[in-house]
Structure formats: C-alpha cells, structure tokens
Amino acid sequence: MSKKLNEMPVSNPNKGRTFKVVGRQPRKPEGLKKVSGEALYTDDIVLPRMLHAKILRSIHAHARIRKIDASKALALPGVHAVVTGNDMPIAYGIIPWTQDEYPLCTDKTRFVGDGVAAVAAVDEDTANRALELIEVEYEVLPAVLSPEQAREHPEIKVNEKAKDGNLSKHVFLEFGDMEGGFARADVVDEDHFYFENTTHAPIEPHCAIGQYDRNGVLTVWSSTQVPHYLHRELARVLNLPQNRVRVIQPLVGGAFGGKSEPFDLEFCVAKLAMITGRPVKILYTREEVFYSHRGRHPMEMTYRTGATKDGKLTAIDAKITFDGGAYSSFGLVTAYYSGQLLTAPYQMPAYRFDSSRWFTNKPACGPKRGHGSVQPRFAFEVQLDKIAHRLNLDPIELRRRNFIGEYTETINGLRITSNGFLECLDAVEKASGWKERRGKLPFGKGLGVAGSMYISGTNYPIYPNEMPQSAVLVRLDRSGRAVIFCGASEIGQGVNAMLANILCEELGTALADVQVVSSDTDLTPIDLGAYSSRVTFMCGNACIDAARKLRKQILEACAEKLQTSPEDLDILPGEVVCLKDTAKRLSTPEAFQLAEAKSGSLAATGSFKTNPLGGDYRGGTIGASPAYSFTAHVAEVTVDPGAGFVTVDRIWIAHDCGKAINPILVEGQMEGSAYMGCAEAIMEAQTYNSKGMHIGPSLLDYRIPTSLDTPEMQSLIIESIDPEGPYGAKEAGEGPLHPSIPAVANAIFDAVGVRLTRLPFTPAVVLKALREKEERERRAAPAAAGGQ
Amino acid sequence: MLRLPRFQYHAPRSLTGALELASRHANEFMYIAGGTDLLPNMKHLLFEPPHLISLRGLRELDFIEVQGGGGIRIGALTTLTRIAESDLARRELPSLAQAAGLVAGPQIRNMGTLGGNVCLDTRCVYYNQTLFWRKALGYCLKKDGSQCHVVQSGKRCVAAHSADTVPALITLGAAVELQSPRGAREIRLEDFFSGDGVKNTVREADEIITAVRIPPQPRGRRANYTKVRIRNSIDFPILSIALAVDFREDGRTCDNVELVMTALGSKPRRIGNLHGVVEGRALTAEVIQAVAHQAHRQAHPLTNINVDPEWRREVAPVYVRRALERAVRAG
C-alpha cells in the first residue's frame, strides 16, 4: 500500500464555501412523473411476444428433491418452457466467499418458499396452472427452526457450505484491556435483549424481464439496487461472457436493502428467455417478496457494560446469536457489522464482541436499512439509559461525557473525521424541551433519548477489485442541456436529484435541462450500487470530479471570448459572468457552444476511489468508511397502562449528514428512517409457525404503520462539513433509523417505569411488563414498610 | 400479483333481474356488492364461482330512511362511508355510525356496503392465505381440509366473525330482510349467525339481503362501539365491543345493558347475565366492574387471530369498562 492506513485529512476544503444550488430544495427530477403515474417501473415494461413466468416453491421447510416431472406442465397449451435447478447448476451469492444459492434448488429445498422450478407461458394464468401440473417427489427432512436447534442438531445440515455444523459465521474480536476495564468500573450492568425478525416491505414487489437477442446479448431489466453485481452474477451463473450481458434498472419502488443481491427471478427470466427466444417477465407476488426476504436478522444479545460513577464507560462485552435463515446472503458482513459499528460516538476503552450467525430452515436474512448495527444499537443504547438511571445522571449528559470527539480513531481502528454528535444531542435536547419535561410528565407519558453512528459507504467493495467505487460521465450539448451517466441506482432515495443538483451547482445549468441516465450497465460507467449509504459520498464526489473538468473547459473558452482570464469568471445559474466587469456575460448555452467549439466535444468523466482505511487486523476493513454520520433522537410516547398500547407521539431527529446537498431529500430520509425504526419498535414482526411457515406473508398480517400510526417528526439537520465528502456531505439514508428504537424503549421507561428488552413492544408485551412490575412492587411493599 | 380466477360478471339493474340471474345460474354463482371481502378471498382461491352477480346496479337498495313507527331502514347497498357520514345515523344510531366508520380504511368503506359487511366471511390465520400457503399447511377444516389448526381436536370451524357493524346492530335489535327467487323473509340479526365458521350465516346462496331494519330505540339509550386493533386503519378487529345502555329518565339509573362482543369465535357473542347486575342501579365503578367481570368470564379469544389471545382476554374487561364509562359521561 502506498498510503498508510487511516491518514487524517490535513485541511478541510469544504469549510466556508458558499453555494448557488446546494442547500436549496429543488424538486426531484422524476418526482412529477412518479406522482402522475408516468414513471416506468420494471413491471410497466411490456415487450412484444413477452412470456410470463412463475416459480414453483417448496411446501416443505427442508426436503430432498427426489424427482421432478414437468411433462404434464409442458404439455399444457400455452406453456413454452420449464426450467429446474439442473438447468442452472452454478452457485451464486453476493459475497464471493459464501456462494451457496442456486437459482432453483438443485438437490434439496431449505425453507418453505425455496424455488424448485420455473415455467414460462403465454400469460400468468397459464403459468400458474402449469405450476400445479409439475410433480415433485420430496423426501421430507427434519428442519431446524431456531439458532438453538441449529446448534443442538449439527447432524441436520441446513446448508452444506457450513464448515462447522450449522454455523454460518463466527466473529470474535477484542480491543483494549477488558479485564482492567471491568476492574475499574464502579457499576457493571448485564442485560439480555432480543430483536425480532423484520423485513423491508417495499411497496414495489421484485420484478425482472429477460430478453436474449439474435446477437447473443442477454438484457435483464430488474428492480434491483445492485445492477453491477447482478451483471457479474448473471454472466457467471449462465455461463455467458460479461460482454454479452446488459442489466438495466428502471425506477425502483422502494428497496431498503431488500433488493441488494441477485434473486431467483433474475436468473429464471434470463434462462427462460435464452431457451424460448422470447422476452420473459416475472413479477413476484407479495407472498414471494416475504419469502425472498433478506431482512433484519433476529438477534439474541447479551451486553455487559462497565462504567465509572461519573458515567464514563470502561468496558463493553457483547455476545450475539443470530438466526440467519437458510442461506449466507450478506451474513459474513452482518456478523462483523453487529460488532464493528458500535464503537462510536462513544469512547470505548475496552470492547469485545462474539457474534455467531446460524443457518436455519427459514428464508435468509440479510441487510435491511442500518445493516447489522440496528439490533446492537438498540441493546446498547437501552443499557446506557439504565446505567444513567442507576448513576442518577441525565441520559443526555451521560452520552456527552463519553463523546469520542472528531478527527480521531475508534478502538477498533475506524477513522472518524467530522463529528456533529454533540450538536445533535443539543438540538434534540432543546427541541424536545428535555430539561423541563423529562421525568416530569404524568404517568403514562415519557421522553427517551438515544444516539448512533453509521457508515457513508463501505471503504472496500464486496469483491476485491481495482476499479473506482463510482464513476460519472457528463455530456453537455450546445442547447445548454446536460446528461449525466452514472451507474448508481435510483431507488427513491434521490441519487438522480443529488447528481443533477451537483451539476447545476458547478455548471450553471437549469435543473430542467439535466437528464440523469442511471444504472444501465451498457450506458453508464461503474458504480457498485445503492447500499451501505455509499451513493452521495461516492457518486457525488465522482460527479464533482467530472463537472469540474468541464467547468475548466467552459471557463477557458469563455475567458477567450470575453478577453479575460478564467480566474475572473464565475458560473451562476443560467450564465457565466466576469466578476471584474459584470457587463461581460454569456448565457449557459452560449458558454457550452464556445467550449464545444474549442475542445471539439464536451464530455468528461470523473471518478472516486477511497484511501486505505480500517483496522490493521483480520476483519479490520469491515466497517471502515470514508466518513461516519451521527444521529440523536428524542422520542415522546404515551403508554396506555390498561391495555398496553404504546403510541409514539413525536420523534425529534437530529442528524449530522455533513452537508445537506438537498435538505428536503435529507429530511425525507431522516423521517423515513425514523418511521421505519419506530415501526420495528412497536409493531413489525416476521415470525414462523412450527412447520417453518411464515405466519402471514401479506401486508394485512405483516403490519406496517399507517399514516394514522406514524408519529409527528421533526428533522433537525446538523452540518459538520466533512473534509472529504462532496461539499462536505455524508450519509443520511440509514443512520437516522438507529436511535428511534432505543429512544422509544427509553421513553417507555420514563413513561411507566418498565424496561423493555424484547422487540417489538406490542400491547401484550407492555401489559405483561406492567403487571410484573406491579407484582414486584406489591411484594416489595411490606418489606419496605420496615420489618414490622 | 395474485390473479383472480376466471368468472363471468353479470350486472343486473334491478332486484328482479338479479334474482332471475340467480335462478338461471343456480349453484354456480355468488353475489358481489362492494367486493372488498369477496375479491381478496377469490384471489386466495377460497371461492371460485363461475358467475358473479353484481348488486351494484341495484340503486333501489341504496337508502337510509325513517319508518313510520320511528324505526330506521337501511338499504343493503348503502356504503359504509355513507352510513358513517349520515347525520341521521350519527344522531339516532351512533354506535352503528361509529362501527361503519371504523371498517378497514377510507377506500374500502367507499366500496364496502352494509349488506356486504353483515355477510363478511369469517376469518382465520389458517384460512385467509394463498393456495400455496394452505397447501404447505395441509389445508384446514374451513377449506379443502379436515383439521382445525386453532382447536386441534375441533370438529367445528372457529374462524373469527369480524364484521364491525354486526355487534352494533345486534345491540340495537336489528333484523335483516332477505329476498330470494322463492320469496321474502326477515330474520333477527342475532339469529342470522350459526356457530359454524365454514358458513356462519343462515342465508341461502340465492338470498339477497335487501335491507337492515332497526326498530325504534328506547328513550334514554346510549350506545357506542369500540374496535380494538393494532393499527388505527386497515386492520380487522382483534376484539370489538358494542354497547347499548338504557337509562331511566333521571339519566343515572340503568334499566338494561346490551353488550355484544366479536372477533372471538364464529358468531358475535352476547354477554349474558347482565340484567340482574345493572337493573335499577346507577353505573357506579362497582357495577361497571361487575359487568366487565361478566365480559371477562364469557369472552374467550382464540388463536384464530394472530394477536395473543391471553392478552385479548385480559383487556376485554378493560375496554368494556371504558365503553360503559363513555356511556355514563355521554349523559
């Protein structure tokens, strides 16, 4: 390595800048199209001669496939092809070291809903009828449905890729002097927590279309958030050269991590298109979305935390067991993230975590908004609240006292640059009336606080490669129009708007004159996808890089024309102006024409690549990010002590996003995150019956809050101005989710005096805790009366 | 997306037309009004009728009218939104208006009708699922199978009656008017439900509910409806309580309490043995507690709904108490 690890920036070029577009709130370029129905999602695409396919799924949680007879299905008029696991025998998986899935099961099925065969037919009804005609002979195997069963029954092998029984991944890392830390602690708290399984529930179900043309090029349209990885895996699994595969991602109707790896439908439409020579579409049913899952891992967590009597943390010891489901997915990373991402915003003198992911016969868990770190954050922030209470310290004050600072390094080797966490705490403290109201509200009403940090992209790609993390191509034309080509995935989070806003800032174009062409592997340069909150930081920097090259060309051409030097010119919205003589002006189209004439063409590329970061130990790169965002929430709740219902009345969200390039989009991410966390706190649960079946794979049974169940939210943007982010920006899409769950838990404690450690906080759970508390108090009362 | 099975759709313009079609397609049809219950069930392949006879064109069945003796008749095709927003219903039949306004969400209430809500199919976590899911389960007593998964040794289906308007209507003494090719009849709503979740009403397949008749209400009656659900919209009830309390002229002394609960088993449950508890008494905390105690004794939630039945039983008296307190305060 040419550079040493974790080199700190020497200056902050983003400080003190003024902006013309950045920081304002222009509309999303695709917003009107979306609200009017004009925007095209994958399922809106209908190609001539297109077939529809359906996937036959396993009705058993664990079964060996003895025989598949599709002859009756193939004989049904309108059926064009049937494929089974044997037609695609190459394993795939998002993490190169744990590829353990097949497009369709080859030898056995591992959960209720695992794909077994796919049928392409003239329409969906015919394909559905054909599914009923496929005869599968199963040998039903015993199933394991919990990590405990997985550990106790290594002889029931869920996933043959597991080296040791049913263990999917084990990570043990220790930093600092644990023994010494606990020895000097005045208080040590040990608690057990459980985070229930939850899923993303995007409104758009997964959809894919495959087309294989006469030139031997396979095109797949998919509602994915990782076109680049899908491109690679399609080529590998279907045994096609990469230059014969094109992936196009149309607009996506929500993803939240649930579309960040390849899925069975993408391989099936591709293979069926290759066999039939006709385009093939699959649209998942809502039930299939629940089976494809990859949502939040359920985690059993034990935290032991020591602190001095003035509230300073001395040591933290975590043991985490999680249920991974049948396949690896991102599990290797999840296992690391469950420990690696807890080490800020608080200084940890000693820290250890021991995380184990187990295979079970259930749909695979994976990354959901706040991948791997939302569950530990819940546990730890509730424990901090307990410690504060025990030490009779204001919970906000306890957090302040442990603040890690800025431009520093965490105990596990993460480089922290700008850090606005204290400002976040100040903001929620003030906005919520914390000092005046906490602990003073009537019984049943309460306030709770929590903090967190999150990555702005992973420093290293999922598979080792030397390419930039992101690249952008910008083309300008003589009319004043600009087109940005970028591989990034617009999944509703606003990447197109972010890129357009940056270009307008740099080149003076009007927003209406910018078109963003994103995520088409033929048309756009590399980008690794919309995950780990990497897009603004990485694509944003790449876009600035490209735009500044064009800016230089434009200014040089204009300076020549206006007979001045480029340094004396500035680009304003719609024009180029000479600062020394403001009568000298050129409109944006004129400026572009001059530059085009001078340089022969007007296009530039830009790219972004991270510097070496992370801890110098095995796994030390996982969790390394060029910048970290910080968040604090205060939640206000009302608890109905008679029935146990928790109403989250309000959440104040303060988030350090570095710099808000488009504040309205940042606020949207903050509110969306807090909403999603709040939903997991009080409502969401994905559970399975004794046969391993999802108990209610529908949006009626898997309840997500309606607008009537959603708290009032106040977003408080904190701008710490990162030295390396685009204009100082960091992430805003995932970090703001983390504190909402522990903030609600801590508010419930303030409201009614019960500590809830198992999610979700349903009325039944809350009422039981209240009854237990009453019982404890009843028993304690005579004793307290003083030995009479 | 789930697909609907194929069917032929008929859109008669009159009751006579609908009944004629029913005769012509005997045993091969179902009536459809708003379709908000039937169509999702058809997508789950719980029903696959070759013919659907739509009642939407029967405008003659869309009315709310005051009858000569002071009773109110509501046409079966009246939407739940219209009932919820009707000044007459809100004034004279507040518990019904509340119940209608709490069904599902606004879009469903715009489509859903009173007759449809009265005929709502019973619901169960093992029943309202796709064909794939039910196949993986091994089916159930209510559809295609022989085993009940709620009551393991049960011989009778216990899918939950879940219609919001019904408990309110029963407390108000309502009756349903039915019409078939064979003639008309009227049944007290309380007698309309059988105890069998597979087919929980006595309506014959070709009978159309034409109207719901609510008799004149006693002076001094205060009625309300409580719907317990996890979300404040969309959800079916996990417990629901309809209450009607008759006060004497002093506005304090109670003559009678009608209490009907549902989202338990296959039919709404009238809570009995209340008369002796309340008659001639003011609804003091003690009396309210006694009524709530009866509700707790008589209401037995089951695992047919995915919300802890122990908790639902525990909170039943809490909500009954609150409903009674609301009635007292309303005086």
Side-chain angles (χ1 to χ4, degrees), chain A residues 14 23 82 133 151 188 200 211 237-238 249 253 316 350-351 366 379 396 408 463 532 547 615 635 644 680 756 778:
Chain A
N14 291 322
V82 175
L133 297 174
R151 188 170 43 224
V188 176
H200 321 79
Q211 184 181 40
V237 171
L238 299 171
Q249 176 231 305
I316 295 97
Y351 175 51
I396 290 184
T408 181
Y463 69 98
S532 76
E680 294 181 78
L756 297 180
R778 209 177 3 256

Coordinates of all heavy atoms in Angstrom, one line a residue, chain A residues 14 23 82 133 151 188 200 211 237-238 249 253 316 350-351 366 379 396 408 463 532 547 615 635 644 680 756 778:
Chain A
N14 N -13.8 22.0 2.3 CA -15.3 22.2 2.2 C -15.8 23.3 3.1 O -16.9 23.8 3.0 CB -16.0 20.9 2.4 CG -15.9 19.9 1.3 OD1 -15.8 20.3 0.2 ND2 -15.7 18.7 1.7
G23 N -27.9 23.1 -1.0 CA -28.6 23.7 0.2 C -29.9 24.2 -0.1 O -30.7 24.5 0.8
V82 N -40.0 -25.1 -19.2 CA -39.9 -25.3 -17.8 C -38.4 -25.4 -17.5 O -37.7 -26.1 -18.2 CB -40.6 -26.6 -17.3 CG1 -40.4 -26.8 -15.8 CG2 -42.1 -26.4 -17.6
L133 N -49.2 -28.5 -12.3 CA -49.1 -29.8 -13.0 C -47.6 -30.4 -12.9 O -47.4 -31.5 -13.3 CB -49.4 -29.6 -14.5 CG -50.8 -29.2 -14.8 CD1 -51.0 -28.9 -16.3 CD2 -51.8 -30.3 -14.4
R151 N -27.7 -25.3 16.7 CA -26.5 -25.6 17.4 C -26.6 -27.0 18.0 O -25.7 -27.8 18.0 CB -26.4 -24.6 18.6 CG -25.1 -24.7 19.3 CD -24.9 -23.5 20.3 NE -26.1 -23.3 21.0 CZ -26.6 -22.0 21.2 NH1 -25.9 -21.0 20.7 NH2 -27.7 -21.9 21.9
V188 N -21.4 -2.2 36.9 CA -21.4 -3.1 35.7 C -22.9 -3.6 35.5 O -23.5 -4.0 36.5 CB -20.5 -4.3 36.0 CG1 -20.6 -5.3 34.8 CG2 -19.1 -3.9 36.1
H200 N -38.3 -5.7 4.9 CA -38.3 -4.3 4.3 C -39.6 -3.8 3.9 O -40.0 -2.7 4.0 CB -37.4 -4.3 3.1 CG -36.1 -5.1 3.2 ND1 -36.1 -6.4 3.0 CD2 -34.8 -4.7 3.5 CE1 -34.8 -6.9 3.2 NE2 -34.1 -5.9 3.5
Q211 N -34.4 -10.7 -21.8 CA -34.5 -10.8 -23.3 C -33.2 -11.2 -23.8 O -32.1 -10.7 -23.4 CB -34.9 -9.4 -23.8 CG -35.1 -9.4 -25.3 CD -35.4 -8.0 -25.8 OE1 -34.8 -7.0 -25.4 NE2 -36.4 -7.9 -26.7
V237 N -23.3 -17.3 -13.6 CA -24.2 -18.4 -13.4 C -24.7 -19.0 -14.8 O -24.9 -20.2 -15.0 CB -25.4 -18.0 -12.5 CG1 -26.4 -19.1 -12.5 CG2 -24.8 -17.7 -11.1
L238 N -25.0 -18.1 -15.7 CA -25.5 -18.5 -17.0 C -24.4 -18.8 -18.0 O -24.7 -19.2 -19.2 CB -26.4 -17.4 -17.6 CG -27.6 -17.1 -16.7 CD1 -28.4 -15.9 -17.2 CD2 -28.6 -18.3 -16.6
Q249 N -31.7 -1.1 -14.8 CA -32.5 -1.0 -13.6 C -33.4 0.2 -13.8 O -33.0 1.4 -13.8 CB -31.7 -0.8 -12.4 CG -32.5 -0.5 -11.1 CD -32.0 0.7 -10.3 OE1 -30.9 0.8 -10.0 NE2 -32.9 1.6 -10.1
G253 N -39.4 1.0 -6.8 CA -40.4 1.5 -5.8 C -40.1 1.0 -4.4 O -40.9 0.3 -3.8
I316 N -17.0 -2.9 27.4 CA -18.2 -3.4 26.9 C -18.0 -4.7 26.3 O -17.1 -5.0 25.5 CB -18.8 -2.4 25.7 CG1 -19.1 -1.1 26.3 CG2 -20.0 -3.1 25.1 CD1 -18.1 0.0 26.1
A350 N -12.3 -0.3 26.3 CA -12.1 -1.8 26.0 C -13.4 -2.3 25.5 O -14.5 -1.9 25.9 CB -11.8 -2.5 27.3
Y351 N -13.3 -3.2 24.5 CA -14.6 -3.7 23.8 C -14.3 -5.0 23.2 O -13.2 -5.3 22.6 CB -14.9 -2.7 22.7 CG -16.1 -3.1 21.8 CD1 -17.3 -3.5 22.3 CD2 -16.0 -3.1 20.4 CE1 -18.4 -3.9 21.5 CE2 -17.0 -3.4 19.6 CZ -18.2 -3.8 20.1 OH -19.3 -4.2 19.3
G366 N -30.8 -10.8 5.7 CA -29.7 -10.1 5.1 C -29.6 -8.6 5.5 O -29.8 -8.4 6.7
A379 N -29.8 -2.5 21.8 CA -29.5 -3.1 23.1 C -28.6 -2.1 23.9 O -28.8 -1.8 25.0 CB -28.7 -4.4 22.9
I396 N -28.7 12.2 28.6 CA -28.0 13.0 27.6 C -26.7 13.4 28.1 O -25.7 13.3 27.3 CB -28.9 14.3 27.2 CG1 -30.1 13.9 26.4 CG2 -28.0 15.3 26.3 CD1 -31.0 15.0 25.9
T408 N -10.5 11.5 14.9 CA -10.0 10.6 15.9 C -10.1 9.2 15.3 O -10.6 9.0 14.2 CB -10.6 10.8 17.3 OG1 -10.0 9.9 18.2 CG2 -12.1 10.5 17.2
Y463 N -16.4 -7.5 -3.7 CA -15.4 -8.4 -4.2 C -14.1 -7.5 -4.5 O -14.3 -6.4 -4.9 CB -15.8 -9.2 -5.4 CG -16.0 -8.3 -6.6 CD1 -15.0 -8.2 -7.6 CD2 -17.2 -7.5 -6.8 CE1 -15.2 -7.4 -8.8 CE2 -17.3 -6.7 -8.0 CZ -16.3 -6.7 -8.9 OH -16.4 -5.9 -10.0
S532 N -25.3 0.4 1.7 CA -24.4 0.9 2.8 C -24.2 2.4 2.7 O -23.2 3.0 3.1 CB -23.0 0.2 2.7 OG -22.2 0.7 1.6
A547 N -17.6 17.2 -13.3 CA -18.2 18.6 -13.6 C -17.1 19.6 -13.6 O -17.1 20.6 -14.4 CB -19.2 18.9 -12.5
G615 N -9.0 -1.0 10.4 CA -8.1 -1.5 11.5 C -7.1 -2.5 10.8 O -7.4 -3.2 9.9
A635 N -37.6 10.6 21.6 CA -38.9 10.1 21.3 C -39.8 10.5 22.5 O -39.4 10.4 23.7 CB -38.9 8.6 21.1
G644 N -51.9 -1.6 27.4 CA -50.6 -1.8 27.0 C -50.2 -1.2 25.7 O -49.0 -1.3 25.3
E680 N -40.5 -0.8 13.7 CA -39.9 -2.0 14.3 C -40.0 -2.0 15.8 O -40.1 -3.1 16.4 CB -38.4 -2.1 13.9 CG -38.3 -2.3 12.4 CD -36.8 -2.4 11.9 OE1 -36.3 -3.5 12.1 OE2 -36.3 -1.4 11.4
L756 N -38.1 -2.4 28.7 CA -38.5 -3.4 27.7 C -37.2 -3.8 26.9 O -36.5 -2.9 26.4 CB -39.6 -2.9 26.7 CG -40.9 -2.6 27.4 CD1 -41.9 -2.1 26.4 CD2 -41.5 -3.8 28.1
R778 N -45.7 -4.9 44.7 CA -46.6 -5.4 45.8 C -45.8 -6.2 46.8 O -46.0 -6.1 48.0 CB -47.7 -6.2 45.2 CG -49.0 -6.2 46.0 CD -50.2 -7.0 45.4 NE -50.0 -7.7 44.2 CZ -50.5 -7.2 43.0 NH1 -51.1 -6.1 42.9 NH2 -50.3 -8.0 41.9

